[in-house]
Amino acid sequence: MYFRRYVDWRVLPLLAMIYAFALIDRINLGAANIAGMGKDLNLNIKGRFSIVTCVYFIPYVLLQLPGNLVLRYFGVRNWITFSVIGWGAVQLGMGFVPTWGYLALCRVLLGACEAAYFPAMVFVISTWYKRHEVQQRLAVFWLISITTSGFSPILAYVFSLLDGKRGIAGWSWIFIIEGAVTLFLGVLSWYYIPDFPDRNKFLTPQQTALVLKRVEEDRGDSLPDPLTREKIVAYLRDWTLWASGLMFMCASMPAYALAYYISIILRGMGYSEATALLLSAPPYGPAILSTMFFSWLSDRHKHRAGYILIQSVICIVGVLLTAFANNHGVRYFGTFVLNAGNVGTIPGVIAYASNNVASQSKRTVQSAMTVLFAGIGGVIASTVYRSQDAPRYIPGLIATMATQGLLIVVLAATHLHFNRMNKLSRAGKLSGPLEGRPGFYYTL
């Protein structure tokens, strides 16, 4: 237990903090818009705010798989440090854009730089642990990230109070300060970011051997296998990888919707600018408890699908309250329920997808395929919450509910498939072992 905790502390905190600022840098448009950016850059004309929000996801989606394919070639430290320094510089530069067109360009560059990070971290974390230890670690990674980023509206409000200092607008200070923090984390990543277990430098040879032995006994892929074009094509033909991505898209859509639009929705309820920004953070509180609880249950019972289903239903209840309740207090409470259900499905889906592949080459493709669909969820979130639907954004909230329904349908399909394949394998009715690994069974 002590040894695993040592690995946890070395692997998870820095990765999570970097991703927290990736989320902050990605979602602070809403707060900056409330703080005056929308007026200064004329973002409320012809859907410009939605355009600026959406263009980020084009390179973010397109570059995730290529980024993971070259991860081992360049090395985790080199590739990730390059990514973090790149998006930190772009984020800082956004504080000085003169027009909305330059802001859109910066958002494209931000998406290009951030694309490599999340799938790489999911891949790296999954290589350090046994299959049924992964979700709690991913949950800790995600919760550190989402909790820190949940304070983004409060930080944005504080930074916006610098309005006029050195002749710089308050919304510009949001980008400048948060970009500077990201650059600092990029420097730290060069010195402290962990590599794959077989390449790590912070464990002794005996400790490294123990890590590799545990993973090898669990799923037989402690060491990398060659990644060839033929393998990539074969993996992309596996429909379950696409299904995992679709589930992750559905899980990510409510998270993006809330991150981008909660302060705007609260403004529509009649709250002042300052109050709307300050009230945007508390809904992330209950999600900490619910996510860790369901992740603990999932790892303890070695079961994923049922707990993802429960959390999706909770999310739907929260969306219903936010969309259709007449009392503003109840609608605000709905955002708490929405988050409590939604946040935990994200590490749940990642763990579910990661548990059901074997070999590092397939994990390379799977982790990128799963995460890139989150970008599609972001595109949906940024387009269905239209300015003409203010202040209640009913069409966007209905679309958010629909994604949860789709998640449940796809989850049921994969669960039934994996259960059937396990039964056939145990009955000796397959031509070979599942995933080519004797003793391997899918996690349900």
Side-chain angles (χ1 to χ4, degrees), residues 169-365:
W171 63 266
S172 293
W173 281 112
I174 296 173
F175 295 131
I176 293 168
I177 296 174
E178 291 176 357
V181 174
T182 301
L183 288 171
F184 172 72
L185 291 173
V187 174
L188 285 183
S189 72
W190 174 259
Y191 292 101
Y192 295 109
I193 204 164
D195 210 318
F196 293 103
D198 58 294
R199 290 182 173 183
N200 87 86
K201 300 292 178 61
F202 71 93
L203 296 180
T204 66
Q206 294 78 15
Q207 291 171 330
T208 298
L210 179 57
V211 171
L212 296 177
K213 179 183 178 182
R214 295 178 76 248
V215 172
E216 189 67 27
E217 290 175 347
D218 179 56
R219 60 175 184 265
D221 65 356
S222 61
L223 296 175
D225 57 303
L227 181 62
T228 63
R229 181 181 302 175
E230 291 74 19
K231 285 185 178 180
I232 295 172
V233 172
Y235 298 152
L236 292 176
R237 288 173 179 165
D238 184 348
W239 72 270
T240 63
L241 266 64
W242 295 89
S244 297
L246 190 58
M247 286 188 288
F248 197 59
M249 178 197 79
C250 295
S252 300
M253 193 276 196
Y256 278 121
L258 205 64
Y260 282 125
Y261 292 98
I262 183 171
S263 58
I264 298 173
I265 291 173
L266 289 171
R267 282 283 282 153
M269 293 183 189
Y271 294 107
S272 67
E273 172 188 316
T275 303
L277 290 172
L278 294 174
L279 288 179
S280 298
Y284 291 91
I288 298 172
L289 298 176
S290 64
T291 299
M292 287 310 302
F293 175 67
F294 283 112
S295 295
W296 174 76
L297 285 176
S298 186
D299 276 351
R300 180 179 177 84
H301 297 149
K302 300 181 179 180
H303 177 77
R304 308 293 185 210
Y307 296 116
I308 295 172
L309 170 64
I310 292 170
Q311 291 173 94
S312 294
V313 172
I314 294 172
C315 180
I316 290 173
V317 172
V319 178
L320 283 169
L321 292 174
T322 304
F324 300 113
N326 292 320
N327 182 278
H328 288 330
V330 176
R331 292 183 64 205
Y332 182 51
F333 173 72
T335 64
F336 285 76
V337 178
L338 187 163
N339 243 7
N342 173 244
V343 171
T345 61
I346 293 173
V349 170
I350 295 173
Y352 185 48
S354 176
N355 286 174
N356 289 320
V357 299
S359 84
Q360 287 203 22
S361 62
K362 188 169 185 179
R363 198 176 305 282
T364 300
V365 176

Side-chain angles (χ1 to χ4, degrees), residues 28 31-33 35-37 40-41 91-98 156 159-160 162-165 167-179:
N28 56 15
N33 190 55
M37 180 182 69
D40 290 352
L41 300 185
Q91 176 75 2
L92 191 150
M94 285 168 60
F96 300 97
V97 294
F159 299 153
S160 70
L162 295 172
D163 186 36
K165 299 291 185 182
I168 298 174
W171 63 266
S172 293
W173 281 112
I174 296 173
F175 295 131
I176 293 168
I177 296 174
E178 291 176 357

